[in-house]
Amino acid sequence: ITQDKPSDTIRIFALGGSTTFGSITTSDFTTIPGFLQKKIDNEHSSTVEVINAGILGANSSLEKQLLMNYVEKFNPDIIIVYDGANNSTVDLVLEQDADDHITWAIVTYVYQFYRTPTFIYKNFVSEGLTLDIDEKMSEQLAQSWKDDWKEACSQKRDYKIIIFIQPTLSNKIFLSDDESRQLKLDPRNEQMKYNLEKIADISSELKGTCDGVFDLRSSFENITEPIFFDNAHVNDLGNKIIAEKMYENLLPYLPRV
């Protein structure tokens, strides 16, 4: 990509965390931006670039900084934001003298890198670990998320900002055995689901400031195939479904076919 954009080109940047970047996808073409690029290429004769600007671990604060300090220099026409999960993530604070809690901490840390902990969980970790919902924390996280995008959308700009709130495993109804185990493995899932609900609720306050806000949490409700690798990362099928949902909502902002 060059900083100078050809005059006949529509340039779209996709901001987000590792789910946008495509941490567990099989190729660059099967990331969300990759599938979106293919969909646009198939449906539009105009030249449209979809640029993957996802960063591992990024939340709205980092994404906003990336947009305002770097991406703007590349003359974007549309910014699509796919986030919510990293803003909803919470740290687990447990008593360190509890064997189950220590085992859980080790397993969940390793889980983000390997599939082996699924086997460990099935054989060594007790079920039933739960956490109480912290409503005040949820409200603070949601407010922080909203403030980040309100700041970004309120600045003087000549491009569109479209925000998509992503689904997590807790939003999927038909779970595979592995997905079901993942939900049980991490007692933070209910808190994270609640945090994301608060973000979705407060997102309506961005309408009129940002150019579009869309809730994609229900994208996998009717999907029976396995989708999730962990709480937020999905397989190629999941990326394709999200890209198609994005395309449907982006149509008013794209050049006519």
Side-chain angles (χ1 to χ4, degrees):
I1 178 176
T2 59
Q3 189 165 336
D4 294 330
K5 181 185 66 177
S7 59
D8 62 344
T9 297
I10 302 296
R11 184 168 280 178
I12 302 174
F13 275 86
L15 301 183
S18 54
T19 51
T20 300
F21 174 79
S23 291
I24 66 165
T25 55
T26 57
S27 74
D28 290 342
F29 301 106
T30 56
T31 63
I32 294 171
F35 277 120
L36 183 59
Q37 179 74 73
K38 183 178 181 180
K39 180 71 174 179
I40 293 174
D41 289 346
N42 289 340
E43 301 292 338
H44 295 262
S45 57
S46 303
T47 302
V48 179
E49 296 177 341
V50 181
I51 300 164
N52 190 340
I55 298 178
L56 275 64
N59 60 15
S60 59
S61 177
L62 180 56
E63 292 156 8
K64 177 192 68 176
Q65 294 176 44
L66 177 66
L67 168 61
M68 298 172 69
N69 298 327
Y70 187 73
V71 170
E72 282 187 346
K73 299 176 182 178
F74 288 81
N75 301 305
D77 295 289
I78 301 173
I79 301 295
I80 58 176
V81 178
Y82 182 65
D83 73 357
N86 284 343
N87 283 80
S88 301
T89 301
V90 295
D91 293 327
L92 184 67
V93 180
L94 297 169
E95 297 178 7
Q96 293 302 304
D97 58 352
D99 290 340
D100 283 347
H101 293 170
I102 293 172
T103 303
W104 182 91
I106 295 171
V107 170
T108 51
Y109 174 78
V110 178
Y111 191 83
Q112 59 187 314
F113 305 107
Y114 300 102
R115 299 300 289 167
T116 304
T118 299
F119 171 80
I120 297 175
Y121 167 75
K122 290 169 60 179
N123 292 277
F124 300 105
V125 180
S126 301
E127 296 184 16
L129 292 178
T130 58
L131 295 175
D132 294 330
I133 298 295
D134 187 335
E135 296 186 7
K136 182 178 180 180
M137 177 183 65
S138 295
E139 293 173 358
Q140 292 172 342
L141 290 173
Q143 185 65 45
S144 177
W145 177 87
K146 188 201 81 170
D147 290 346
D148 284 332
W149 292 119
K150 183 177 181 180
E151 179 183 351
C153 293
S154 297
Q155 66 173 332
K156 186 178 180 180
R157 53 189 170 87
D158 57 359
Y159 54 85
K160 306 291 186 183
I161 298 179
I162 316 296
I163 297 175
F164 295 95
I165 300 172
Q166 67 188 106
T168 62
L169 176 57
S170 298
N171 301 123
K172 192 168 185 276
I173 295 174
F174 302 102
L175 302 176
S176 67
D177 290 342
D178 189 46
E179 288 171 329
S180 180
R181 284 193 293 268
Q182 292 169 40
L183 271 181
K184 295 175 183 178
L185 172 64
D186 194 338
R188 299 173 298 176
N189 278 319
E190 284 304 312
Q191 178 72 61
M192 293 166 69
K193 179 182 180 182
Y194 188 77
N195 294 347
L196 198 58
E197 288 174 357
K198 289 297 181 182
I199 287 175
D201 290 343
I202 205 170
S203 69
S204 62
E205 299 180 21
L206 292 174
K207 295 179 179 179
T209 304
C210 301
D211 298 281
V213 181
F214 302 99
D215 187 352
L216 299 186
R217 289 178 299 154
S218 63
S219 298
F220 304 132
E221 280 187 349
N222 298 318
I223 305 300
T224 57
E225 295 93 338
I227 292 290
F228 283 92
F229 175 84
D230 55 21
N231 182 62
H233 298 92
V234 301
N235 57 24
D236 291 354
L237 173 61
N239 286 336
K240 183 178 182 181
I241 292 170
I242 292 297
E244 290 173 349
K245 298 284 186 182
M246 284 184 173
Y247 176 77
E248 294 171 4
N249 290 297
L250 284 172
L251 272 176
Y253 309 95
L254 295 173
R256 294 185 178 181
V257 178

